């Protein structure tokens, strides 16, 4: 409730801000919306003018604006109007090579640096991205190069904002990202609402929204359909994530529609910890891998705790509840305590729907996972495919999982 109240106040603040900011039209700085002219320089000139005024409403009128990577500035409303599109260049040279994020120490899919995002920003405050327009990552060429192994660096995100606070993204359509679509990294106070995110089901690693080492985040009333996780909450990778030590926490994901994709996930990059999360009121399927997915593995360390999936409906999922601590399936041997993940306080309740497999639990003998199930009605073909090292309370659940003992906690190996 406190998070919702704060976000409401944030919205009122930005509405007031919108009336006080000067409007800067990118066309007035040389941008041409013909879908062919490269507008990176013109857009950067407009943003520099915005920064010199300590903020503005940056307007993209009707048209298709081809561009390379650019960064936003503080106290800014990026208004992509109806029938306006920002088109990401397909030319690798339009994306600077930037250093890895500190909690990853690698680009992600490749060691070393990475390509800059299409739209980025660092240490920003008071930013809104709004309008009825579209940001098109034109990711197909990047997906093909990734599949062919011809890229030297990790693909760029569509939108990535680092060390930012008081951020709203609303109403826009984010399409065909080269890699992860919307990546708030080390951010605080973020509202994502009424956003449409799409990518083909077979597009590699096109996650929808990935809050990463971020706090006080709400994702609501969105439609997200991608080739990977629709939502994935993260906090860095292995040793670097543990050293960065900034968890993701106080996150609400509510009243969204996820027609296809890999589902609602936490991890596997969770080495800085993920806690205090609610997924509620979401509609899932008909083509989703996992309605409720927790994933980590030996070597990650960190924790995933106090997570609730509630009041949702699955129209079709491969797994209704999937918790794994052997994510990559490499049979990694046990490691030291700091590299051993903890999964506790996971609750799935008040949900119903269809799934090919009701449950899969694959946790560690040295670190059992706690999964509590309550008021579930799952139409299924299989009850569970794995049931390893899991315990928890089970109440009014059909089908009954392997560890059900009338609401007492026992562990099955």
């Amino acid at each position: 409730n406190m998070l919702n109240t704060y976000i409401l106040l944030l919205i009122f603040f930005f509405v007031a801000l919108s009336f006080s900011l000067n409007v800067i039209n990118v066309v007035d700085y040389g941008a041409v919306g013909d879908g062919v002219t490269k507008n990176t320089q013109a857009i950067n000139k407009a943003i520099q003018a915005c920064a010199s005024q300590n903020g503005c409403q940056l307007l993209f009128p009707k048209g298709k604006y081809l561009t390379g990577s650019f960064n936003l500035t503080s106290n800014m409303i990026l208004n992509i109007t109806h029938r306006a599109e920002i088109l990401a260049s397909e030319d690798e040279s339009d994306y600077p090579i930037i250093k890895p994020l500190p909690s990853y120490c690698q680009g992600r899919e490749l060691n070393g640096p990475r390509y800059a995002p299409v739209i980025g920003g660092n240490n920003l405050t008071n930013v809104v991205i709004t309008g009825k327009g579209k940001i098109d990552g034109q990711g197909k060429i990047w997906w093909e190069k990734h599949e062919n192994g011809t890229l030297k660096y990790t693909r760029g995100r569509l939108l990535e904002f680092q060390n930012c606070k008081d951020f709203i993204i609303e109403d826009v359509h984010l399409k065909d990202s080269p890699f992860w679509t919307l990546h708030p990294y080390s951010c605080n106070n973020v509202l994502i609402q009424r956003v449409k995110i799409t990518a083909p089901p077979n597009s590699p690693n096109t996650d929808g929204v990935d809050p990463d080492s971020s706090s006080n985040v709400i994702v609501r009333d969105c439609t997200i359909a991608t080739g990977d996780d629709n939502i994935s909450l993260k906090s860095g990778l292995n040793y670097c994530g543990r050293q960065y030590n900034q968890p993701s926490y106080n996150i609400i994901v509510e009243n969204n529609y996820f027609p296809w994709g890999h589902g609602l996930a936490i991890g596997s990059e969770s080495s800085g910890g993920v806690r205090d999360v609610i997924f509620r009121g979401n509609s899932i399927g008909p083509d989703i891998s996992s309605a409720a997915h927790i994933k980590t593995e030996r070597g990650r360390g960190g924790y995933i705790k106090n997570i609730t999936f509630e009041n949702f409906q699955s129209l079709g999922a491969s797994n209704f509840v999937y918790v794994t601590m052997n994510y990559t399936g490499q049979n990694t041997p046990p490691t030291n305590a700091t590299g051993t993940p903890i999964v506790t306080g996971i609750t799935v309740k008040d949900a119903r729907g269809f799934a090919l497999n009701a449950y899969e639990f694959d946790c560690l003998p040295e670190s059992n996972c706690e999964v509590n199930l309550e008021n579930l009605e799952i139409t299924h073909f299989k009850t569970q495919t794995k049931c390893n090292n899991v315990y928890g309370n089970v109440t009014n659940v059909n089908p009954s999982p392997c560890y059900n003992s009338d609401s007492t906690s026992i562990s099955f190996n």
Side-chain angles (χ1 to χ4, degrees):
N1 288 337
M2 289 184 64
L3 178 56
N4 277 307
T5 300
Y6 182 86
I7 292 296
L8 187 60
L9 292 172
L10 185 65
I11 293 171
F12 286 143
F13 169 77
F14 279 121
V15 169
L17 183 68
S18 67
F19 289 105
S20 63
L21 292 175
N22 291 328
V23 175
I24 290 181
N25 191 323
V26 294
V27 172
D28 294 336
Y29 288 80
V32 179
D34 60 4
V36 178
T37 303
K38 197 77 64 70
N39 292 291
T40 314
Q41 186 175 3
I43 292 170
N44 278 318
K45 284 183 179 178
I47 293 172
Q48 289 167 10
C50 183
S52 70
Q53 300 177 17
N54 197 30
C56 75
Q57 183 175 169
L58 186 68
L59 183 70
F60 280 79
K62 176 184 174 181
K64 295 185 177 183
Y65 300 89
L66 184 67
T67 181
S69 177
F70 63 89
N71 290 326
L72 304 183
T73 189
S74 292
N75 303 315
M76 176 181 184
I77 298 175
L78 174 60
N79 187 354
I80 309 167
T81 60
H82 178 60
R83 299 181 70 182
E85 293 186 33
I86 296 176
L87 292 179
S89 169
E90 297 176 310
D91 187 343
E92 292 177 35
S93 66
D94 286 323
Y95 300 90
I97 307 304
I98 61 176
K99 63 183 180 181
L101 294 167
S103 62
Y104 286 82
C105 300
Q106 64 180 60
R108 182 58 187 100
E109 55 192 357
L110 295 170
N111 290 325
R114 61 203 180 102
Y115 290 103
V118 178
I119 302 177
N122 198 356
N123 295 310
L124 303 182
T125 303
N126 301 334
V127 173
V128 180
I129 299 175
T130 188
K132 301 293 184 180
K134 183 186 299 182
I135 303 173
D136 187 345
Q138 300 203 108
K140 184 178 179 181
I141 190 169
W142 295 93
W143 307 334
E144 291 173 350
K145 289 179 179 179
H146 167 72
E147 298 288 358
N148 294 335
T150 56
L151 290 173
K152 294 181 179 179
Y153 309 106
T154 294
R155 291 166 285 159
R157 285 71 163 167
L158 186 62
L159 278 71
E160 179 181 80
F161 306 105
Q162 303 179 46
N163 308 304
C164 300
K165 65 178 182 178
D166 299 341
F167 220 97
I168 295 177
I169 303 171
E170 61 181 14
D171 297 320
V172 292
H173 180 187
L174 309 179
K175 180 177 184 287
D176 291 350
S177 175
F179 190 56
W180 300 346
T181 303
L182 177 50
H183 187 210
Y185 177 81
S186 201
C187 292
N188 184 37
N189 300 333
V190 179
L191 173 62
I192 301 165
Q193 62 181 358
R194 301 186 304 273
V195 172
K196 182 179 180 181
I197 299 176
T198 58
N202 62 346
S203 56
N205 311 111
T206 53
D207 293 17
V209 180
D210 288 0
D212 196 336
S213 293
S214 292
S215 55
N216 301 315
V217 179
I218 294 179
V219 182
R220 68 185 184 194
D221 303 321
C222 298
T223 297
I224 302 175
T226 67
D228 207 308
D229 293 327
N230 304 70
I231 303 283
S232 184
L233 310 184
K234 304 176 183 293
S235 63
L237 182 67
N238 298 346
Y239 174 80
C240 292
R242 298 194 298 272
Q243 289 296 107
Y244 191 67
N245 193 30
Q246 185 168 328
S248 282
Y249 64 94
N250 289 354
I251 297 175
I252 298 173
V253 179
E254 62 181 357
N255 302 328
N256 302 286
Y257 175 42
F258 306 108
W260 72 79
H262 290 190
L264 310 187
I266 295 179
S268 71
E269 305 92 332
S270 54
S271 301
V274 180
R275 62 175 171 84
D276 303 326
V277 176
I278 299 175
F279 297 87
R280 66 185 176 204
N282 298 297
S283 181
I284 297 164
D287 189 14
I288 288 289
S289 297
S290 298
H293 192 187
I294 306 293
K295 49 182 176 176
T296 185
E297 63 183 351
R298 289 172 173 138
R300 291 282 192 267
Y303 58 80
I304 300 173
K305 65 181 182 181
N306 300 337
I307 313 297
T308 299
F309 298 83
E310 65 181 8
N311 189 29
F312 66 89
Q313 181 177 9
S314 169
L315 304 176
S318 297
N319 296 286
F320 203 86
V321 182
Y322 181 19
V323 180
T324 179
M325 300 175 76
N326 290 294
Y327 175 56
T328 56
Q330 295 176 339
N331 296 317
T332 305
T335 184
N336 58 33
T338 58
T340 301
I342 296 170
V343 175
T344 187
I346 311 303
T347 299
V348 185
K349 66 178 184 178
D350 302 328
R352 61 188 176 87
F354 174 79
L356 296 177
N357 185 51
Y359 315 111
E360 181 167 334
F361 306 109
D362 190 14
C363 303
L364 302 175
E366 71 272 24
S367 183
N368 290 191
C369 55
E370 178 195 4
V371 184
N372 304 300
L373 306 176
E374 180 181 349
N375 298 331
L376 303 181
E377 186 67 35
I378 308 169
T379 303
H380 62 287
F381 285 109
K382 293 182 179 179
T383 300
Q384 61 240 342
T385 54
K386 289 183 180 179
C387 192
N388 300 323
N389 306 302
V390 58
Y391 69 96
N393 295 322
V394 179
T395 306
N396 191 28
V397 169
N398 180 36
S400 181
C402 58
Y403 60 97
N404 183 15
S405 61
D406 297 324
S407 300
T408 58
S409 296
I410 58 174
S411 176
F412 277 70
N413 296 300

